[in-house]
Amino acid sequence: MRKECVKSGKTVEEAIAACLAELKVDRSQVQVEVLQEPSKGFMGLFSKPAQVKVIYIETPVNRAVSFLKSVCQKLGLNVEIEADVQGEYVTLNITGEDKEALGVLIGRRGDTLDALQYLVNLVANKQADDRQKFVLDVEGYRKRREQTLQRLALKMAEKVKRYGKEIALEPMSPQERRIIHTTLQNHKYVYTTSEGEEPYRKIVIFPKK
């Protein structure tokens, strides 16, 4: 689906803002063509306003951003969403001035964020020929959580090595279990397995014989 909007304004940015408001999209989702730069005539006569054409083309990325924007607006959150496209993977990072309020999007240990990520992938790839995989993040939470899990994995591995007994970690999402497995996959003294059924599946760290 393609949408176009042509608007005039005192400045180019003012004209763009008017189109974004009409189309209900973000600046990152559109292409902008400046049709006319503003100019001031002699003694204010024959001045010309800026005129732009804003083009919105519906893509999986744009559908994802629009869906997230609508969810955040319903929650009363004023956010910015930046899309980082790397091949078939798209990372959508949500930022905002009220850092504490954004915690509602993360939930307990990222469970809300994971659920929202699942919905984003469903909405964005609906009837799409080229499917993309979306990773959702809030203020860099996933990177911080990854570092926390890596430290936990190494700490628990040291305990297993020291006492020679396996240790079971708390249930985690597949994405978080993957971080633990990857961190310890080449460890000299321990190995890992996943046990149990979702959503209670957990990692057990064993000493190597």
Side-chain angles (χ1 to χ4, degrees):
M1 181 175 64
R2 177 188 175 104
K3 295 180 182 179
E4 293 186 4
C5 172
V6 176
K7 291 286 185 182
S8 298
K10 293 181 179 179
T11 66
V12 169
E13 289 304 315
E14 182 180 289
I16 292 174
C19 274
L20 295 179
E22 179 176 305
L23 297 174
K24 297 181 180 179
V25 295
D26 282 348
R27 180 69 174 81
S28 61
Q29 295 177 268
V30 300
Q31 300 172 10
V32 176
E33 181 182 346
V34 178
L35 303 178
Q36 178 176 279
E37 293 282 356
S39 63
K40 291 184 179 180
F42 178 68
M43 296 183 68
L45 300 175
F46 309 111
S47 60
K48 295 181 180 179
Q51 188 177 58
V52 302
K53 178 193 285 187
V54 173
I55 303 169
Y56 170 83
I57 300 176
E58 189 171 80
T59 64
V61 174
N62 282 340
R63 278 198 295 272
V65 172
S66 294
F67 172 73
L68 281 175
K69 273 284 189 180
S70 68
V71 169
C72 291
Q73 286 172 356
K74 289 176 181 177
L75 291 173
L77 299 174
N78 184 25
V79 302
E80 295 294 330
I81 302 173
E82 182 180 348
D84 180 21
V85 182
Q86 301 288 338
E88 65 176 337
Y89 286 91
V90 182
T91 299
L92 299 176
N93 191 41
I94 303 174
T95 59
E97 292 183 2
D98 193 340
K99 314 297 183 186
E100 186 174 346
L102 290 178
V104 71
L105 298 176
I106 298 173
R108 183 178 180 271
R109 292 176 183 157
D111 54 356
T112 303
L113 190 60
D114 288 338
L116 192 54
Q117 178 175 290
Y118 174 76
L119 292 176
V120 165
N121 276 277
L122 287 182
V123 171
N125 289 307
K126 186 178 180 181
Q127 300 177 339
D129 295 328
D130 298 321
R131 296 180 64 85
Q132 292 183 291
K133 297 178 181 178
F134 290 87
V135 177
L136 192 58
D137 201 359
V138 175
E139 294 283 355
Y141 165 80
R142 290 205 185 277
K143 187 63 178 178
R144 296 194 303 274
R145 179 63 175 162
E146 179 181 0
Q147 293 170 344
T148 298
L149 290 172
Q150 288 171 340
R151 290 193 296 268
L152 174 67
L154 294 173
K155 181 180 178 180
M156 293 299 103
E158 185 61 30
K159 282 189 175 182
V160 171
K161 172 192 169 186
R162 183 182 306 164
Y163 299 112
K165 294 182 180 181
E166 70 272 14
I167 291 179
L169 304 183
E170 63 185 15
M172 297 179 185
S173 67
Q175 186 171 337
E176 293 195 337
R177 293 199 306 272
R178 193 176 304 116
I179 293 171
I180 301 290
H181 285 307
T182 301
T183 302
L184 299 178
Q185 65 182 354
N186 296 318
H187 199 283
K188 187 176 180 180
Y189 299 103
V190 304
Y191 68 94
T192 60
T193 64
S194 289
E195 297 181 357
E197 301 295 330
E198 300 290 2
Y200 305 108
R201 195 163 173 78
K202 59 188 177 183
I203 283 182
V204 182
I205 306 174
F206 291 91
K208 288 182 178 178
K209 304 272 184 171

